[in-house]
Amino acid sequence: MTLVWICIVVYSISLILILFYAFAQLNLLFNYIKAQKAVDDSPLLDLDNLNEVPYVTIQLPVFNEAYVMDRLLDNIILLDYPREKLEIQVLDDSTDETVETTAAHVKRLAAKGLDILHITRTDRSGYKAGALKEGLKIAKGDLIAIFDADFLPHADWLYKTIPYFKDPEIGVVQTRWAHLNRDYSILTQIQAFALDAHFTLEQVGRNSKGHFINFNGTAGVWRKETIYDAGNWEGDTLTEDLDLSYRAQLKNWKFKYLEHVTTPAELPIIISAARSQQFRWNKGGAENFRKMFKRVISSDMSFKSKLHGVLHLLNSTMFLNVLVVGVLSIPMLYIKNTYAHLHDYFYVMSFFVVSSIIFFLCYWYMYKKTYGSGFKNFISYIGMFFTFFSIAMGFSFHNSIAVLEGHAGKRSEFVRTPKFNLKAVGGNWKANKYLLKKISPHVIIEGILMLYFAFGMYSAFIVGDQGGDFGLFPFHLMLFIGFGFVFLRSITEKQ
């Protein structure tokens, strides 16, 4: 009976935490809706007086980017901004032949009169944070724009972002990510689905009320003074962008998020690339909770901002709660149909379906912003919602390992996400030389979990005396599909 109560307590705590997170998301939705009524405050840059035009340094942190390097450089020179006020730093930590090809490309651009530098390091200490910090030492610009290798800003990007720094309290301007390959596959569609929610509901919902938000590592601009005032880039977490964002806001610098300015980028097209990105983001989130929690709660921010800040830092920990609920749901099914005196408990637990309803409503509001409303789009949304949540749950074991490592303080290497640019390899992603060749041990456990949730579906038919209990059947079906998708895609991509 002790194990039964342990199972009930852990299961209940996880459900309560998920519900609490859902209510926080609902609050962000209300904030987002209110923010849509705000008057457009887009300032303009006075190009007639160059003395008033701020000097901008563009930093391009890259590492072994053979397939996208030329595309990145050819696109970045199209940015429309006074050349005498613009510097480009290619922060190249590469260890392959791209060092030479990039150097040659930069030399050609410099010969055309562009102020562009190719900066290399003898070691990769601090990874991306270390490269940004190194470039900052000699950056000419008062403002620092940062783009990862797969981001392709539009020509007027600087004109849409730089004017906001007329407000001396603004330390960062962040733009919304768009997706070059949204419809490539189910995998890219569900990644776009999740990112769209983050870059609308979450970023606007937090920023509109002055809560903590984060610079997303790319497609944004920092005031150089802000970086130094916040303590500069640090490489002790895997998400250096989240780390510096919180340190800057704790120094009372304001962040400006621009939902209306999009920056196209490439989504990972294969499961192993998505896995490495998810692992880094989720472990980094947990590392930053460990690093920032005490600073946030002891700050002079409002109680609501502190609460949203803590929940923001705990975002990735929701995967752990989902995994716990999923794994324990099968024992709970048997407990429910064995101990009749617990009937009232399970009746109360049914209330927690409201979490799913809240997520469904929040994501629908974001979805229709992209695709429009109407019955047809709503039906499409239902399919996408359940596909997204199924596959997200399929990632829950992998991401939970990342979260546990982050909370435990286990250090690991910064693993870059392979970029593809399929045009460069004739559409054959298997030609990408940066792909990991071995299968993660996590994949085997994901295969076991797929079978485990198949057993959960079977259990629905055999428990109880009334011909089964199918209340959790849809949940177990989604878990089965999610873990099956992640497991089978991980196996087949290596063949």
Side-chain angles (χ1 to χ4, degrees):
M1 193 64 184
T2 301
L3 286 177
V4 169
W5 282 110
I6 291 175
C7 186
I8 289 173
V9 169
V10 174
Y11 184 78
S12 301
I13 290 173
S14 295
L15 279 176
I16 291 169
L17 290 173
I18 292 171
L19 179 64
F20 195 66
Y21 180 73
F23 279 126
Q25 293 294 99
L26 186 61
N27 179 250
L28 293 179
L29 176 61
F30 293 150
N31 293 348
Y32 180 86
I33 293 171
K34 291 177 183 177
Q36 301 310 295
K37 302 175 183 177
V39 178
D40 181 20
D41 63 345
S42 304
L44 297 174
L45 204 60
D46 183 9
L47 296 175
D48 294 330
N49 185 1
L50 281 181
N51 291 328
E52 298 298 321
V53 176
Y55 206 118
V56 176
T57 294
I58 296 175
Q59 292 188 321
L60 307 175
V62 298
F63 176 72
N64 295 350
E65 304 289 4
Y67 304 104
V68 297
M69 200 64 226
D70 287 340
R71 184 181 70 178
L72 171 68
L73 292 174
D74 289 340
N75 181 80
I76 212 70
I77 63 172
L78 300 178
L79 283 173
D80 189 12
Y81 201 76
R83 286 292 181 252
E84 58 268 44
K85 292 284 188 171
L86 185 66
E87 173 194 36
I88 300 172
Q89 293 182 339
V90 182
L91 307 175
D92 192 356
D93 279 358
S94 299
T95 56
D96 62 3
E97 74 283 357
T98 58
V99 176
E100 288 75 26
T101 57
T102 298
H105 198 152
V106 168
K107 187 176 180 179
R108 290 195 299 272
L109 295 177
K112 296 179 180 180
L114 198 67
D115 186 357
I116 183 169
L117 294 173
H118 184 222
I119 301 172
T120 60
R121 298 191 296 166
T122 55
D123 67 86
R124 204 184 165 208
S125 59
Y127 303 109
K128 181 180 175 180
L132 293 170
K133 188 175 183 179
E134 191 72 20
L136 196 65
K137 293 177 182 178
I138 58 171
K140 299 175 184 176
D142 298 315
L143 304 176
I144 311 294
I146 300 172
F147 298 103
D148 282 349
D150 53 334
F151 279 74
L152 303 175
H154 299 298
D156 60 352
W157 193 91
L158 290 172
Y159 287 140
K160 289 181 175 179
T161 56
I162 299 303
Y164 287 93
F165 287 97
K166 289 180 179 180
D167 181 346
E169 294 184 334
I170 287 182
V172 176
V173 172
Q174 173 67 53
T175 65
R176 179 164 63 93
W177 295 4
H179 316 294
L180 293 168
N181 56 343
R182 172 192 294 271
D183 296 320
Y184 178 80
S185 66
I186 288 294
L187 181 62
T188 56
Q189 287 175 18
I190 63 105
Q191 289 176 89
F193 185 83
L195 286 169
D196 286 347
H198 168 68
F199 281 100
T200 50
L201 178 146
E202 294 184 350
Q203 289 288 65
V204 175
R206 294 188 180 108
N207 191 222
S208 64
K209 295 298 182 181
H211 302 327
F212 289 95
I213 70 166
N214 60 298
F215 168 64
N216 293 103
T218 177
V221 188
W222 282 84
R223 192 186 296 272
K224 186 198 291 183
E225 179 189 352
T226 303
I227 298 175
Y228 282 126
D229 185 50
N232 214 328
W233 296 102
E234 295 178 358
D236 57 346
T237 73
L238 292 179
T239 46
E240 73 296 320
D241 44 7
L242 179 61
D243 171 28
L244 186 58
S245 296
Y246 268 68
R247 286 188 279 120
Q249 287 166 104
L250 288 169
K251 286 278 191 173
N252 295 317
W253 287 99
K254 293 181 180 178
F255 279 38
K256 182 68 177 179
Y257 175 68
L258 305 180
E259 183 189 6
H260 67 282
V261 181
T262 60
T263 311
E266 177 185 288
L267 294 162
I269 63 172
I270 64 170
I271 201 86
S272 61
R275 291 171 77 97
S276 64
Q277 186 179 73
Q278 287 284 309
F279 194 90
R280 187 175 72 249
W281 286 353
N282 286 288
K283 182 171 181 175
E287 288 175 329
N288 273 287
F289 174 80
R290 177 187 173 97
K291 181 176 181 177
M292 290 293 167
F293 173 71
K294 290 182 180 179
R295 301 189 207 183
V296 169
I297 61 174
S298 62
S299 71
D300 58 0
M301 294 280 193
S302 69
F303 172 78
K304 200 169 184 180
S305 287
K306 291 178 184 180
L307 180 60
H308 272 289
V310 170
L311 290 172
H312 185 197
L313 293 171
L314 283 173
N315 267 355
S316 59
T317 306
M318 287 303 112
F319 281 105
L320 181 59
N321 290 316
V322 169
L323 180 65
V324 168
V325 168
V327 170
L328 293 183
S329 64
I330 297 177
M332 291 297 287
L333 180 64
Y334 283 89
I335 291 170
K336 176 185 177 183
N337 287 277
T338 302
Y339 299 96
H341 65 283
L342 294 175
H343 174 78
D344 289 342
Y345 163 79
F346 285 98
Y347 182 78
V348 171
M349 285 298 102
S350 64
F351 167 77
F352 285 91
V353 72
V354 74
S355 297
S356 298
I357 296 172
I358 290 173
F359 288 128
F360 184 86
L361 292 174
C362 289
Y363 278 86
W364 163 240
Y365 198 93
M366 300 305 109
Y367 186 88
K368 70 180 183 178
K369 285 280 291 186
T370 302
Y371 296 99
S373 55
F375 181 75
K376 185 177 179 180
N377 282 335
F378 182 69
I379 295 300
S380 297
Y381 166 72
I382 293 173
M384 179 55 68
F385 178 82
F386 285 102
T387 300
F388 162 71
F389 264 85
S390 295
I391 295 175
M393 289 191 291
F395 274 99
S396 63
F397 174 75
H398 177 76
N399 290 344
S400 292
I401 297 299
V403 167
L404 290 171
E405 287 188 4
H407 285 304
K410 180 181 178 182
R411 301 298 299 274
S412 60
E413 183 181 0
F414 185 104
V415 178
R416 61 180 287 281
T417 304
K419 315 298 190 304
F420 289 87
N421 186 15
L422 291 178
K423 291 182 180 179
V425 290
N428 178 21
W429 60 262
K430 291 186 177 181
N432 192 306
K433 62 183 180 179
Y434 300 125
L435 298 181
L436 297 174
K437 303 302 181 183
K438 61 181 181 179
I439 296 175
S440 166
H442 297 170
V443 174
I444 306 303
I445 298 177
E446 287 160 351
I448 294 171
L449 286 168
M450 175 188 70
L451 298 176
Y452 178 68
F453 292 113
F455 171 73
M457 290 188 291
Y458 166 74
S459 298
F461 292 90
I462 63 171
V463 296
D465 300 323
Q466 306 298 322
D469 183 342
F470 296 91
L472 287 172
F473 187 88
F475 183 49
H476 292 153
L477 175 62
M478 292 173 67
L479 285 159
F480 171 76
I481 292 172
F483 279 104
F485 177 87
V486 173
F487 171 71
L488 294 174
R489 284 289 295 266
S490 298
I491 295 295
T492 56
E493 284 178 359
K494 301 301 180 181
Q495 297 176 356

